[in-house]
Amino acid sequence: MATEGRGRRVALALGAGGARGLAHIGVIEVLEERGYQVAAVAGSSMGALIGGIHAAGQLAAYRDWVETLQRNDVLRLLDLTLGAPGLIRGERVIATLKELVGEHRIEALSIPFVAVATDLATQREVWFQHGPLFDAIRASIAIPMVFTPHVVNGRELVDGGLLAPLPLAATRAFHCDAVIAVDLSARGERPVPPPPAPLPEAEMFDDEPERRTSGWRQRVAAWFGVAAAPETGATASASAAGGGLSGLLDLMSRSMDTMQSQMTRLHLAQDPPDLVIRIPRESASFYEFWRARELRELGRRIAAEALDAWPG
């Protein structure tokens, strides 16, 4: 029989996992439909982004926007950079989210919220419980080598998933009836995505000066399963454009998944929540944000199954 919330107050620990974090949207939807009150949220990386937007009361607006994105739309959000400690500056996507969600301070949100990042100098977790919401989100999503680190109060901060891929400890400051964790690193079967369609480079990059460095940008495009047209006008295949870089991104993705999966198991053993909702790590690569609708529906289905089986 389905477990009904009947107004029970729950704290959510939303895990890291890149695009798989879009499943968090479906989980939150099902919890609220079942009558649970999401009374507090702690998030790492994509969990911080979804959790912070939900705490700001703008999750439906974000859902409607992100589900319109195609591969080329995702690429246009990437402000690629050379000579910086990361491939993407992140300013363009954060500016887009600010326009969509609005500016907020964490301490003024309607739902208590904690975003977890990692301080590279001290090698410790940083918990954002006050200050600008998007400073916290930008720090928490700064995947090393992908996004440049975010500097806050002189501290160089990167992805919270490095130390806390499932931020259970941060939920213990909240006084709720139950803690529900959403783990994005569970084992399962991955759906086979459709093959990518070619996309002219001129459609991918709107900024002419940056587009002149086309060789490496074609390779970056191939990382995301999009074939960019070379300067000769011919269409290159994604595999040819990507070369060894495609394998490099895949290796980095699988390495992060391996690390976060192991750390998540340790955190769950040391500090078990009342319920774990497990999203398979094979369900999407961390950059596949154009699969938002599919991943939200996956989150809905798995959350419903977990709640049905939960005696709590």
Side-chain angles (χ1 to χ4, degrees):
M1 181 179 294
T3 298
E4 299 300 329
R6 297 181 296 275
R8 292 186 68 192
R9 291 165 47 84
V10 298
L12 295 184
L14 302 182
R20 292 193 299 276
L22 295 166
H24 290 320
I25 302 173
V27 171
I28 292 170
E29 288 177 345
V30 169
L31 285 170
E32 293 187 334
E33 289 168 8
R34 296 277 185 108
Y36 292 91
Q37 178 187 352
V38 177
V41 182
S44 278
S45 198
M46 193 61 183
L49 189 150
I50 298 296
I53 291 175
H54 177 62
Q58 297 297 321
L59 189 60
Y62 174 79
R63 176 201 63 204
D64 293 345
W65 170 76
V66 77
E67 289 188 356
T68 68
L69 297 182
Q70 302 298 317
R71 286 181 174 88
N72 55 325
D73 300 313
V74 173
L75 281 164
R76 289 192 184 100
L77 289 171
L78 307 182
D79 40 4
L80 305 175
T81 182
L82 283 170
L87 180 66
I88 301 165
R89 289 191 296 270
E91 295 171 4
R92 188 175 298 167
V93 67
I94 291 297
T96 301
L97 291 174
K98 284 181 179 179
E99 183 177 352
L100 179 70
V101 174
E103 296 273 15
H104 299 270
R105 291 189 66 84
I106 294 173
E107 61 270 25
L109 295 174
S110 59
I111 298 174
F113 171 67
V114 178
V116 180
T118 300
D119 188 322
L120 286 176
T122 64
Q123 299 180 348
R124 293 180 180 274
E125 295 176 28
V126 175
W127 293 5
F128 284 90
Q129 297 174 282
H130 56 81
L133 174 63
F134 281 102
D135 260 352
I137 289 173
R138 175 62 180 83
S140 190
I141 67 171
I143 302 171
M145 296 184 293
V146 177
F147 283 95
T148 58
H150 191 55
V151 178
V152 178
N153 296 328
R155 293 186 296 180
E156 194 174 38
L157 305 178
V158 295
D159 197 316
L162 288 183
L163 295 180
L166 191 59
L168 287 163
T171 66
R172 300 310 181 185
F174 307 128
H175 300 288
C176 295
D177 299 319
V179 173
I180 297 177
V182 185
D183 172 18
L184 301 181
S185 60
R187 295 188 178 185
E189 294 298 324
R190 174 183 176 153
V192 178
L199 182 69
E201 183 186 347
E203 294 184 26
M204 291 189 296
F205 303 109
D206 299 328
D207 42 351
E208 179 66 28
E210 290 189 359
R211 189 152 35 96
R212 289 171 187 164
T213 57
S214 59
W216 73 281
R217 289 178 180 279
Q218 289 167 10
R219 294 192 291 272
V220 170
W223 285 359
F224 292 90
V226 179
E231 293 180 358
T232 60
T235 299
S237 70
S239 58
L245 289 177
S246 177
L248 177 63
L249 185 67
D250 180 63
L251 175 62
M252 184 178 68
S253 175
R254 289 187 289 117
S255 298
M256 287 286 291
D257 284 345
T258 299
M259 178 192 71
Q260 291 182 348
S261 179
Q262 179 65 15
M263 292 182 66
T264 295
R265 285 196 293 270
L266 292 173
H267 289 184
L268 286 170
Q270 293 169 353
D271 189 11
D274 297 284
L275 174 67
V276 184
I277 296 173
R278 304 179 188 275
I279 308 298
R281 67 173 181 260
E282 296 87 359
S283 58
S285 294
F286 78 87
Y287 51 82
E288 293 181 304
F289 286 92
W290 51 84
R291 297 173 60 195
R293 186 182 300 274
E294 172 190 350
L295 291 165
R296 177 173 66 88
E297 290 300 326
L298 178 67
R300 289 185 60 88
R301 176 175 61 79
I302 293 176
E305 292 171 357
L307 289 170
D308 287 346
W310 185 31

